[in-house]
């Protein structure tokens, strides 16, 4: 079987590589020439654990190919996945220009029956637009080639993308054609040996499922952050509350960790886009509007703690930031809370030296020389007036208190991810601020 994946980013590259791993011949297409040239040489443009080895293996076995030409990529293909970005438009809706551009390119290039499956997260109604764009291009060419569209939203998580793709909880396929259904069943069968289901449904339901899933997860996070803030006011400990409610099997213990707000390339834009879809259809998704408001405020919570600890005067102070990616195990810094804190610190006249195990290059692209970049976590903390943890990377979990005590100018830690124990911090002589717990002051 031969397939094509158009858009070779986090989703496209992981999906294409994992399909190749099952023996399918995959061509990944991207308009970014630099990216494709690097991939041909085995250089992976993103940080994703395990991906590099897998890409190299499949390139060597001649199951995985890269090109900038959609036409070349489509030669002999039976299924093509669209996996390009769908960033938010100015009004919050998903910008479909890349998706439609790919659909047109497919219409201009295809020469035999194809199933066109959208993996990008796209609003309800997109499959119809994709179908119309392809048909328009075929009509312009004056050729009659049959094709089917399908919606196949992707649920992988950055940082655990390969594991998620190889062992998915479920596969969602929206389609209105038996033939497309058969192709998708064949393609996904190797990933479902663990007994998890492939769920077929109509296309609008499949398109909405992805938004509803991300919005539900974002809702859990914002709900817990709201509860955490209330905990601080009334003197409760959110960790206790979390454990208390998480042990209820109806609630479960996932996605109820409070923190400095959610970020990334998906939750913020997908919540926005779903609110917009509802608005366009005359419905106000009130819960989601609150989820977004709570998250915007939550991204400032750590800065507010720093500001009040230093009595509102941050001029000339320097802060160490640990963690810049929006979550651990990825170099993705899109919408990361660290950047909100950094920007507010700079605005208040402070300076910043930041460290992240893999996201420093991404941060440099965004922030240039407005901040300093550290070679390791203690280099960042050296001579700083305070330590601010924004991403819960594994290497931050066990700190060397002795070293930190010597190098920090003032022994204060602001923890945006609740990874340290307040009692231990106090014992070691640190003032410690976290989320939804009382400040621990020695
Ligand atoms: P990305 O920005 O990492 O990659 C998109 C790629 O598409 C880029 O390499 C870009 O050069 C390429 N591209 C743009 N226009 C193109 C065109 N006309 N032809 C060929 N290539 C083109 O994006 P991503 O994070 O992989 O996300 C892709 C989609 O998948 C989005 O809709 C996103 O919401 C969704 N999604 C992302 C994740 C995630 O964790 N990143 C998870 C599930 C779903």
């Amino acid at each position: 079987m031969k397939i094509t994946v158009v858009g070779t980013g986090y989703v496209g590259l992981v999906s294409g590589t994992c399909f190749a791993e099952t023996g399918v011949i995959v061509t990944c297409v991207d308009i970014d020439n630099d990216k494709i040239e690097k991939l041909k040489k085995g250089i992976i443009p993103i940080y994703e654990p395990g991906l590099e080895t897998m890409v190299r293996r499949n390139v060597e076995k001649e199951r995985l190919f890269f090109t900038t030409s959609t036409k070349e990529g489509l030669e002999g293909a039976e299924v093509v996945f669209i996996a390009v970005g769908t960033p938010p438009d100015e009004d919050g809706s998903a910008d479909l220009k890349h998706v439609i551009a790919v659909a047109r390119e497919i219409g201009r290039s295809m020469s035999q029956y194809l199933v066109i499956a959208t993996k990008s997260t796209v609003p309800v109604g997109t499959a119809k637009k994709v179908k119309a764009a392809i048909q328009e291009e075929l009509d312009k060419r004056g050729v009659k080639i049959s094709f089917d569209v399908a919606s196949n939203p992707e649920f992988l998580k950055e940082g655990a993308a390969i594991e998620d793709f190889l062992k998915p909880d479920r596969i969602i396929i929206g389609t209105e054609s038996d033939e497309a259904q058969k192709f998708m069943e064949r393609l996904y069968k190797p990933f479902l040996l663990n007994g998890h289901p492939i769920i077929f449904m109509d296309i609008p339901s499949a398109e909405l499922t992805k938004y509803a899933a991300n919005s539900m997860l974002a809702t859990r996070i914002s709900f817990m952050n709201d509860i955490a803030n209330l905990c601080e006011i009334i003197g409760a400990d959110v960790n206790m509350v979390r454990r208390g409610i998480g042990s209820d099997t109806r609630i479960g213990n996932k996605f109820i960790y409070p923190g400095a707000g959610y970020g990334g390339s998906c939750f913020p834009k997908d919540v926005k886009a779903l609110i917009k879809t509802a608005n366009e259809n005359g419905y106000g998704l009130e819960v989601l509007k609150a989820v977004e408001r709570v998250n915007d405020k939550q991204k400032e919570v750590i800065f507010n703690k720093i500001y009040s600890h230093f009595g509102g005067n941050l001029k000339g102070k320097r802060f160490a930031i640990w963690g810049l990616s929006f979550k651990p195990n990825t170099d993705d810094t899109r919408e990361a809370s660290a950047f909100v804190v950094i920007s507010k610190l700079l605005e208040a006249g402070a300076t910043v030296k930041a460290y992240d195990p893999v996201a420093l290059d991404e941060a440099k692209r965004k922030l240039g020389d407005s901040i300093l970049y550290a070679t390791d976590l203690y280099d960042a903390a050296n001579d700083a007036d305070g330590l601010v943890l924004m991403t819960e990377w594994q290497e931050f979990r066990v700190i060397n208190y002795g070293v930190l005590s010597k190098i920090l100018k003032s022994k204060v830690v602001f923890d945006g991810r609740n990874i340290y124990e307040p009692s231990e911090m106090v014992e070691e002589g640190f003032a410690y601020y976290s989320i939804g717990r009382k400040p621990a002051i020695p």
Side-chain angles (χ1 to χ4, degrees):
M1 194 170 187
K2 186 172 182 291
I3 67 162
T4 312
V5 180
V6 186
T8 310
Y10 283 92
V11 167
L13 183 58
V14 171
S15 314
T17 309
C18 290
F19 280 128
E21 190 74 4
T22 66
V24 172
I25 306 297
V26 182
T27 306
C28 287
V29 181
D30 204 285
I31 41 166
D32 186 336
N33 193 39
D34 190 40
K35 191 179 263 191
I36 292 297
E37 283 311 310
K38 280 189 176 140
L39 281 163
K40 281 181 179 168
K41 290 181 197 138
I43 303 166
I44 310 300
I46 52 170
Y47 175 82
E48 186 59 48
L51 185 58
E52 191 164 322
T53 322
M54 207 186 240
V55 168
R56 287 195 177 158
R57 181 167 57 237
N58 285 287
V59 168
E60 270 165 29
K61 300 233 163 171
E62 299 192 341
R63 291 192 298 242
L64 183 60
F65 299 88
F66 299 101
T67 177
T68 51
S69 157
T70 305
K71 195 172 173 50
E72 188 187 313
L74 286 180
E75 272 165 28
E78 291 161 297
V79 178
V80 53
F81 289 96
I82 302 179
V84 294
T86 46
D89 217 338
E90 273 161 29
D91 63 0
S93 60
D95 184 348
L96 293 178
K97 68 170 180 274
H98 302 304
V99 171
I100 300 302
V102 173
R104 290 199 173 282
E105 196 50 44
I106 292 171
R108 285 194 287 267
S109 311
M110 65 193 277
S111 54
Q112 74 283 337
Y113 171 81
L114 260 184
V115 176
I116 297 103
T118 307
K119 235 182 206 318
S120 305
T121 304
V122 292
V124 175
T126 304
K128 270 194 194 150
K129 291 182 185 164
V130 166
K131 194 172 179 174
I134 295 171
Q135 193 56 56
E136 238 180 83
E137 294 301 326
L138 289 174
D139 292 346
K140 276 190 211 160
R141 287 167 61 196
V143 292
K144 276 199 171 26
I145 305 173
S146 69
F147 68 92
D148 285 306
V149 292
S151 162
N152 172 214
E154 182 50 58
F155 295 92
L156 62 78
K157 300 182 288 295
E158 286 174 25
I162 291 181
E163 179 76 7
D164 285 350
F165 199 92
L166 294 179
K167 295 179 194 156
D169 290 341
R170 66 353 200 148
I171 299 292
I172 303 287
I173 309 280
T175 178
E176 49 203 16
S177 126
D178 291 344
E179 197 157 5
Q181 182 160 332
K182 274 189 210 131
F183 271 111
M184 298 309 256
E185 254 165 350
R186 222 178 117 203
L187 208 44
Y188 276 110
K189 206 171 166 204
F191 304 107
L192 298 168
L193 301 174
N194 57 5
H196 289 156
I198 181 162
I199 307 173
F200 289 101
M201 55 181 77
D202 59 279
I203 291 176
S205 301
E207 289 172 333
L208 187 57
T209 297
K210 173 68 191 179
Y211 283 102
N214 273 359
S215 297
M216 167 68 95
L217 295 173
T219 301
R220 285 172 72 99
I221 295 173
S222 271
F223 175 79
M224 274 320 278
N225 284 336
D226 229 9
I227 294 291
N229 296 336
L230 179 63
C231 283
E232 286 182 25
I233 295 165
I234 62 177
D237 179 336
V238 75
N239 262 4
M240 292 298 143
V241 177
R242 176 180 59 75
R243 287 175 59 192
I245 64 169
S247 55
D248 182 328
T249 52
R250 293 169 305 174
I251 296 173
N253 55 17
K254 294 199 175 135
F255 273 84
I256 54 170
Y257 286 77
Y262 62 75
S265 67
C266 293
F267 287 6
K269 86 171 167 59
D270 293 350
V271 165
K272 248 190 195 43
L274 187 53
I275 292 171
K276 189 74 185 24
T277 297
N279 276 352
E280 281 166 2
N281 287 281
Y283 189 72
L285 277 173
E286 301 307 323
V287 171
L288 271 196
K289 288 182 199 165
V291 165
E292 202 179 28
R293 273 201 311 276
V294 168
N295 194 55
D296 288 344
K297 263 177 43 198
Q298 197 67 17
K299 286 184 164 183
E300 300 187 352
V301 157
I302 282 288
F303 172 79
N304 294 340
K305 288 175 195 280
I306 300 170
Y307 190 78
S308 73
H309 175 83
F310 288 97
N313 184 10
L314 299 180
K315 258 207 173 69
K317 301 242 177 304
R318 188 159 77 65
F319 292 94
I321 301 278
W322 282 6
L324 295 163
S325 55
F326 83 93
K327 66 174 182 182
N329 294 327
T330 179
D331 59 350
D332 198 339
T333 60
R334 288 177 278 189
E335 306 268 347
S337 303
F339 290 80
V340 174
V341 174
I342 290 173
S343 133
K344 291 194 80 71
L345 285 172
L346 297 180
E347 228 174 81
T351 58
V352 165
K353 192 165 187 179
Y355 171 70
D356 186 284
V358 300
L360 283 178
D361 287 342
E362 275 306 305
K364 278 179 196 164
R365 256 191 285 282
K366 279 189 180 171
L367 297 172
D369 56 10
S370 63
I371 66 164
L372 298 167
Y373 302 93
T375 49
D376 65 42
L377 56 173
Y378 296 109
D379 176 34
N382 197 21
D383 220 20
D385 292 282
L387 169 61
V388 186
L389 181 134
M390 294 304 295
T391 317
E392 65 278 34
W393 280 96
Q394 209 63 29
E395 68 178 85
F396 301 153
R397 286 187 183 265
V398 181
I399 351 181
N400 187 329
Y401 291 114
V403 172
L404 212 54
S405 300
K406 277 196 205 117
I407 60 178
L408 274 179
K409 224 192 273 175
S410 91
K411 288 176 68 173
V412 53
V413 175
F414 302 91
D415 178 1
R417 302 294 167 192
N418 281 5
I419 69 171
Y420 303 123
E421 269 312 312
S423 55
E424 200 175 310
M425 279 287 177
V426 169
E427 255 170 51
E428 297 290 339
F430 288 86
Y432 176 65
Y433 296 86
S434 56
I435 307 283
R437 301 185 290 185
K438 283 187 207 117
I441 310 292

